């Protein structure tokens, strides 16, 4: 790759690209809402939310100085992130708390990039994050999930026209914003029926003595505020 090619790539990543019209932005939001609301597509698409969830745990573990041992993603859309370090303290609390807000916060950041016209930067940034995550995945299904997701971003960003890239990027960000909300309600239901005795909220309770309901309220607040703020950015409000 010559200097001119490198310059061209850099200009694509740092430059701005036109977004779709408002009605197409609304259409991608409606599509993402349908994927999240309907049971069959949600069961498949939820894997992407799990990737973001476990990635949030993993990134926070590294940022807070913990040693990340690995990440596992399972076919039932559950996941597990294992890190080493002090079993208590701020680092452990932040790591445990990072999972549920992560998809929504990624969506909020993506909405900011799209509102600024940085569509290519979003697609390539997502590909880079998935590549970094792939290094830490420790099971075959997890590797397959991350590779397929990363390949989708890579193929769209390289092989499709700008209009398709814009629609794909908006659909992804809408999905993160909307898809980040549903797992918190699912967690609340599972805890009520006794299906999640060792959830993130319960682990945080043992670490901080703050009741699980308090952590659920925090997760709800972050995901719903991210949806409102990110959605407003996407719609230009």
């Amino acid at each position: 790759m010559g200097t001119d090619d490198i310059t061209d790539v850099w200009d694509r990543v740092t430059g701005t690209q036109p977004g779709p019209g408002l009605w197409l932005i609304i259409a991608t939001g409606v599509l993402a809402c349908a994927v999240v609301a309907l049971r069959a597509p949600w069961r498949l698409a939820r894997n992407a939310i799990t990737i973001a969830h476990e990635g949030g745990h993993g990134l926070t573990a590294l940022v807070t100085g913990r040693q990340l041992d690995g990440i596992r993603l399972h076919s039932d859309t559950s996941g597990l992130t294992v890190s080493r370090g002090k079993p208590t303290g701020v680092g452990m609390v932040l790591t445990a708390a990072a999972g549920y807000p992560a998809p929504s916060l990624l969506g909020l950041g993506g909405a900011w990039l799209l509102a600024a016209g940085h569509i290519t930067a979003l697609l390539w940034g997502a590909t880079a994050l998935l590549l970094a995550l792939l290094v830490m995945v420790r099971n075959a299904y997890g590797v397959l999930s991350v590779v397929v997701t990363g390949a989708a971003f890579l193929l769209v960003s390289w092989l499709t026209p700008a209009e398709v890239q814009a629609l794909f990027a908006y659909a992804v960000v809408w999905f993160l914003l909307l898809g980040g909300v549903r797992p918190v309600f699912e967690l609340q239901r599972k805890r009520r029926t006794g299906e999640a005795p060792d959830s993130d909220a319960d682990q945080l309770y043992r670490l901080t003595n703050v009741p699980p309901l308090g952590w659920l309220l925090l997760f709800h607040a972050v995901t719903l505020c991210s949806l409102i703020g990110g959605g407003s950015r996407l719609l230009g409000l």
Side-chain angles (χ1 to χ4, degrees):
M1 181 179 289
T3 304
D4 291 341
D5 294 327
I6 295 175
T7 302
D8 181 60
V9 170
W10 178 252
D11 289 341
R12 286 182 61 190
V13 173
T14 58
T16 59
Q17 299 79 35
L22 179 60
W23 73 272
L24 286 174
I25 294 175
I26 295 173
T28 57
V30 171
L31 175 62
C33 187
V35 170
V36 173
L38 299 176
R39 183 175 182 180
W42 172 244
R43 288 184 64 183
L44 178 62
R46 198 186 192 286
N47 286 283
I49 297 298
T50 303
I51 291 173
H53 178 115
E54 299 303 332
H57 284 311
L59 177 61
T60 306
L62 292 174
V63 169
T64 56
R66 299 181 62 80
Q67 183 175 342
L68 183 59
D69 283 348
I71 294 173
R72 290 179 174 271
L73 306 169
H74 304 132
S75 58
D76 62 355
T77 71
S78 66
L80 176 66
T81 299
V82 178
S83 64
R84 282 187 290 172
K86 288 181 60 179
T88 59
V90 176
M92 186 63 208
V93 171
L94 292 176
T95 299
Y100 281 96
S104 296
L105 293 177
L106 283 173
L108 183 61
W112 181 85
L113 284 174
L114 293 182
H118 295 295
I119 296 172
T120 301
L122 183 144
L123 295 175
W124 286 29
T127 305
L129 288 174
L130 287 165
L131 183 61
L133 179 66
L134 181 63
V135 177
M136 297 308 302
V137 176
R138 295 291 183 263
N139 66 320
Y141 183 83
V143 170
L144 178 63
S145 297
V146 176
V147 167
V148 169
T149 306
F153 278 91
L154 190 61
L155 291 174
V156 168
S157 63
W158 275 105
L159 302 179
T160 64
E163 295 81 2
V164 175
Q165 293 182 30
L167 290 174
F168 179 78
Y170 272 84
V172 167
V173 170
W174 274 121
F175 174 71
L176 287 171
L177 291 170
L178 292 162
V181 173
R182 178 166 175 172
V184 185
F185 285 97
E186 292 178 339
L187 173 60
Q188 188 173 345
R189 176 185 56 79
K190 288 180 178 179
R191 289 198 71 261
R192 188 168 58 247
T193 58
E195 298 176 55
D198 197 35
S199 68
D200 291 358
D202 293 283
Q203 293 179 37
L204 287 162
Y205 169 51
R206 292 193 291 271
L207 288 168
T208 64
N209 289 324
V210 176
L213 178 60
W215 291 104
L216 283 169
L217 290 174
L218 176 63
F219 296 158
H220 278 305
V222 173
T223 56
L224 291 172
C225 287
S226 295
L227 174 58
I228 294 170
S232 298
R233 295 285 292 179
L234 294 177
L235 296 172
L237 302 178

